[in-house]
Amino acid sequence: MITTRLTRLAILTALACVLRIAFGAFPNVKPITALFFVLILAYGLADAIIVSTLTMIVTGFLMGFSVIILGQIISYVLILSLGAMIFRWLKSIILRTLLIFILTMLYGFLISIFSAQLFGSPFWPFWISGLTFDLAHAVSTALFFPILMTIFKIS
């Protein structure tokens, strides 16, 4: 059983890394956040956190490694944990998609805290200037989520 799980985690991490790099030309339009939320429903919160953490680390080596990766990991752990708690009460795909949109916007807020600190910028102007990117991330995640739910055959 452990071999099966490790293999699944490795394949899903590789998939997330490839998707992140393949969509690199489109700022903040990537299916990986939706994938992480689908993994909660398919395999549980722990696996989603492992895949998200490994994805940030591996793509960090490929795309540029900095301390912001720690902020990405912490932000993902927070929004994925919130999502896992709330998914228990939401069974409708529409409500789950709306929740994911909101949590992805929260991710943008959280990562802006880390980014503003890293760049020595005041937080509020930094966050406001990045709202269009956060919105693109949230909309694309909400669009990819039902597609990935279908691929993973989750109802």
Side-chain angles (χ1 to χ4, degrees):
M1 183 64 152
I2 191 155
T3 305
T4 304
R5 183 174 182 222
L6 287 175
T7 303
R8 182 178 61 235
L9 291 171
I11 290 170
L12 290 168
T13 300
L15 172 65
C17 291
V18 167
L19 288 172
R20 187 164 189 218
I21 293 167
F23 282 80
F26 308 103
N28 283 12
V29 177
K30 291 163 188 61
I32 63 168
T33 304
L35 176 64
F36 300 153
F37 281 113
V38 168
L39 293 180
I40 291 171
L41 297 170
Y43 304 113
L45 177 61
D47 284 5
I49 288 174
I50 290 168
V51 171
S52 68
T53 300
L54 289 173
T55 300
M56 295 304 111
I57 292 170
V58 170
T59 58
F61 286 119
L62 298 171
M63 299 167 72
F65 205 88
S66 79
V67 74
I68 198 65
I69 291 172
L70 180 61
Q72 291 173 319
I73 292 169
I74 292 168
S75 298
Y76 269 120
V77 167
L78 289 172
I79 68 163
L80 293 175
S81 298
L82 283 171
M85 285 189 285
I86 299 171
F87 278 165
R88 293 181 195 149
W89 296 288
L90 299 178
K91 300 302 177 193
S92 163
I93 192 164
I94 294 169
L95 293 176
R96 284 180 172 174
T97 302
L98 179 62
L99 172 66
I100 287 169
F101 175 86
I102 293 166
L103 290 175
T104 305
M105 289 297 290
L106 176 61
Y107 173 85
F109 181 82
L110 295 171
I111 200 65
S112 291
I113 294 170
F114 291 100
S115 298
Q117 285 287 23
L118 179 65
F119 295 118
S121 174
F123 170 72
W124 292 108
F126 187 90
W127 176 65
I128 290 170
S129 68
L131 274 177
T132 55
F133 290 98
D134 295 346
L135 188 59
H137 185 202
V139 168
S140 67
T141 299
L143 292 173
F144 282 119
F145 179 71
I147 296 167
L148 291 174
M149 289 271 296
T150 304
I151 292 170
F152 278 78
K153 296 182 173 94
I154 299 171
S155 55

